[in-house]
């Protein structure tokens, strides 16, 4: 059987995602992926168009994996319990799969992700969780941005060793989630911000 036998876009994407976790998303190249399969770079081109196509595929796969974990974590929960479960699944995925997580944060062509299940589900899960806090319209968007920037910032700093203080990062994380819950329950309305 030739080395190219059995190559598919899915197998190539899975191998590239594993490689991203091992060496970093920005270090994934077609040559490195081809080497994992024992083939030359051109053998990949009948399955992926180019490096950007492969990176988009990694990001879409990772987004779906991450939202599947978040959905399982928040199932049957509401309010603070859902917030804690959502945040925990988010953080755990970022720590366990740093390269894939980095891929989910990359800027992608809007047309490539317009109907992507992971992207759509992420918005749905965030919106559903925040509705328990009686937020609507622009407040939902603002609160979603607050959560994403907090979760992303924490996970990125934690995985890069950015927290040098002796305080346990799990203790800080729990306290931050308490603060976010309090913020969401007391979300400012247009009347209170005038």
């Amino acid at each position: 059987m030739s080395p190219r036998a059995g190559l598919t876009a899915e197998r190539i994407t899975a191998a590239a995602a594993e490689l991203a976790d091992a060496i970093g998303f920005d270090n994934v190249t077609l040559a490195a992926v081809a080497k994992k399969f024992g083939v030359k770079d051109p053998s990949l081109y009948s399955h992926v168009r180019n490096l950007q196509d492969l990176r988009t595929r990694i990001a879409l796969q990772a987004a779906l994996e991450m939202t599947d974990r978040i959905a399982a974590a928040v199932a049957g929960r509401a309010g603070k319990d859902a917030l804690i479960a959502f945040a925990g699944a988010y953080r755990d995925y970022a720590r366990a799969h740093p390269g894939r997580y980095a891929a989910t944060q990359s800027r992608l062509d809007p047309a490539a992700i317009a109907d992507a299940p992971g992207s759509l589900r992420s918005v749905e899960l965030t919106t559903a969780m925040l509705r328990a806090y009686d937020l609507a319209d622009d407040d939902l968007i603002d609160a979603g941005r607050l959560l994403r920037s907090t979760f992303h910032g924490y996970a990125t700093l934690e995985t890069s060793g950015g927290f040098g203080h002796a305080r346990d990062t799990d203790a800080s994380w729990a306290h931050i989630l308490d603060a976010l819950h309090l913020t969401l329950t007391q979300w400012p309305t247009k009347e209170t911000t005038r």
Side-chain angles (χ1 to χ4, degrees):
M1 181 158 87
S2 80
R4 281 181 267 181
L7 277 183
T8 64
E10 292 76 21
R11 287 189 67 216
I12 292 167
T13 302
E18 288 175 15
L19 193 60
D21 286 340
I23 65 171
F25 178 64
D26 290 337
N27 297 319
V28 173
T29 63
L30 289 171
V33 175
K35 186 176 180 180
K36 283 185 71 93
F37 287 103
V39 299
K40 303 274 185 204
D41 301 13
S43 299
L44 304 181
Y45 287 114
S46 58
H47 306 286
V48 295
R49 290 189 307 276
N50 52 37
L51 181 59
Q52 185 56 46
D53 179 41
L54 180 60
R55 288 184 173 179
T56 298
R57 290 171 183 270
I58 295 168
L60 296 177
Q61 175 185 310
L64 186 58
E65 290 171 355
M66 190 169 171
T67 55
D68 283 349
R69 289 187 184 191
I70 291 170
V74 300
R77 299 173 188 267
K80 186 176 181 182
D81 288 342
L83 173 65
I84 290 170
F86 188 111
Y90 187 107
R91 180 181 177 217
D92 289 347
Y93 187 85
R95 291 191 303 182
H97 301 289
R100 292 177 216 209
Y101 176 72
T104 67
Q105 303 305 309
S106 61
R107 186 152 181 84
L108 301 175
D109 177 4
I113 61 170
D115 296 324
S119 299
L120 296 172
R121 195 163 189 209
S122 176
V123 172
E124 291 169 359
L125 288 166
T126 304
T127 301
M129 188 225 348
L130 289 172
R131 287 217 188 273
Y133 290 99
D134 294 324
L135 302 176
D137 306 321
D138 289 345
D139 290 336
L140 273 174
I141 295 168
D142 295 344
R145 288 176 175 168
L146 171 65
L147 295 182
R148 181 178 180 206
S149 59
T150 303
F151 300 164
H152 172 68
Y154 200 92
T156 301
L157 286 167
E158 185 176 30
T159 57
S160 68
F163 294 133
H165 195 278
R167 180 164 164 78
D168 180 63
T169 55
D170 289 337
S172 293
W173 179 251
H175 200 71
I176 288 166
L177 294 181
D178 287 341
L180 285 173
H181 172 67
L182 184 61
T183 299
L184 292 170
T185 58
Q186 298 179 9
W187 194 261
T189 63
K190 289 179 181 154
E191 293 75 32
T192 61
T193 56
R194 287 183 186 169

